[in-house]
Amino acid sequence: MIKKLLGLLIWVVAFNISAHELKTIDEIHSAYKNNKITAQQLTQGYIKRINQLNPQFNAVINIEPTAVTQAKKIDELSAQGLWAGPLHGIPVLLKDNIETTGSLPTTAGSLALKNNITNNDAFVVKQLRNAGAIILGKTNLSEWANFRSSYSSSGWSAVGGQTHNAHDTTRNPCGSSSGSAVAIALNFAPVALGTETDGSITCPASVNGVYAIKPSMGQVSRSGVVPLSSSQDSVGPMAHSLKDARLVLSVLQGRDPLDTSTHSFELQAQYKVTKSSLVIGALPSDKFTVETQRLYKKQLSALKKAGHTVVNINISDDLATLFVDEYYVLLYDFKKEINQYLANTPDQVKIKSLSALIDFNIQNKATEMPHFGQDILIQANAIDLTQTDKYQKTKHRYRTLATAAITNLYKNNNVDVVIAPTTSPAWKTDLVNGDNFKGSSSSLSAIAGTTHITLPAGQVSGLPVGLSIIANKNQPQAAYQHAQIIDTVFISHIKKPE
């Protein structure tokens, strides 16, 4: 008994490392096991860091009131020599379109949902809790997942204001999972979840210099997440390492009867690299900034010097209809699915339809539309949901085209992996004219439903630029192995300021 009490005393007082010094899951678990920090101390350290720095960046909307209590329970398990799971005592931040039990609302950034306290854990949150994670809070996002205005500023919401890039507060964080990416870059937590319909995980991760995974369709459930489009929506992790992002994804995945797209595929948490030399297909970078093109050449040179073969490839398929079709599918899905979601919100939420939401925004123009309007919401509301044949044909056409474009890149060029810059460096935030994207590599993976990984791969003038790994259809395991090989090269040779 005395020995147990002494061990507990050492566990409580032996605080000789601060939360901001710990980034990866392995580092945190090692600190726990070596009595250098407790889960309570770690959690309180993150909360203190958020309180100190968040006013400058607007990355976090709310701290979960039970976070410290959750941490104490983890410490009680640790004192008994027990382990809660692969994410034992790991604090996680959630994009504020992901529902949680308790008192926090799930707002999607909109004041119309400021009272949306569902007291429900999304499937992914249940998975996190079952793995021993601590739910730390909610992050800011582009309102309605950046599907409100053609002239929006990514990272802005009426609830959370404008999120700022972690490396330069005058620059944009990209969206819509802005707060999650900025929070990881600032080490507000070791792990955060984002959601993506097309680029909303990978772009913010790229411009803030963190690792992220947009998983394959059906790998991770969307139940308990405010919807944009069931055709493309994904939930995925952001972290300080590819290993951590992969581990978190292995926790999130699973079949969910509330999301019929989910299947029994299971990502292996650990894997063996089976190839020492890759044939890498490099997509062109001419749509990105000149500085990004220069960095890309440096990345390709480093890969060649490391013994890999780099082949310049290009998309041979005609994508003329792809983006028009995508926009129609998203408008159709959003109208149908947001109406269903709003109709089933708690009684205290008074906005029960897309039409009511549009009226709410007009009535609250000063707070909801001080910078840009809601033309996308209006276009979505005008969609005729009875045109199911048109919708199904369009969806089949665009998904078939995107899938063929990816598979042909692999088949026609006989490559192991396809890469491209994720996006250009962050642009200056402009609340008058909106976003200023310079290139993106997200759409084919988003539409085809394949895995898309982004790695921090260098900087341009102190601003991060990510590199995309675009997985072949039904080959995510290979993509993770190849991403690890490429990341190892970049860690050694590329990740230095320009």
Side-chain angles (χ1 to χ4, degrees), residues 242-250 267-269 271 477 480:
L242 181 58
K243 181 181 180 181
D244 283 1
R246 182 186 171 94
L247 174 58
V248 173
L249 184 55
S250 73
L267 172 73
Q268 298 169 3
Y271 60 93
Q477 298 282 16
Y480 291 112

Side-chain angles (χ1 to χ4, degrees), residues 205-224:
S206 175
V207 303
N208 286 284
V210 302
Y211 293 84
I213 300 170
K214 194 286 293 184
S216 59
M217 181 61 67
Q219 187 177 354
V220 179
S221 170
R222 290 84 54 89
S223 66

Side-chain angles (χ1 to χ4, degrees), residues 32-49:
Y32 285 163
K33 291 173 181 177
N34 291 300
N35 296 336
K36 292 184 176 180
I37 200 168
T38 67
Q40 180 180 345
Q41 290 165 337
L42 181 73
T43 302
Q44 289 173 328
Y46 282 127
I47 293 172
K48 180 180 179 181
R49 185 169 174 81

Side-chain angles (χ1 to χ4, degrees), residues 443-489:
S443 292
L444 287 182
S445 295
I447 295 169
T450 61
T451 295
H452 182 182
I453 304 164
T454 184
L455 312 172
Q459 295 186 348
V460 170
S461 299
L463 297 171
V465 176
L467 184 102
S468 286
I469 310 296
I470 300 170
N472 200 359
K473 185 72 174 177
N474 299 322
Q475 293 188 24
Q477 298 282 16
Y480 291 112
Q481 294 183 24
H482 301 153
Q484 186 65 64
I485 293 169
I486 292 170
D487 187 49
T488 300
V489 174

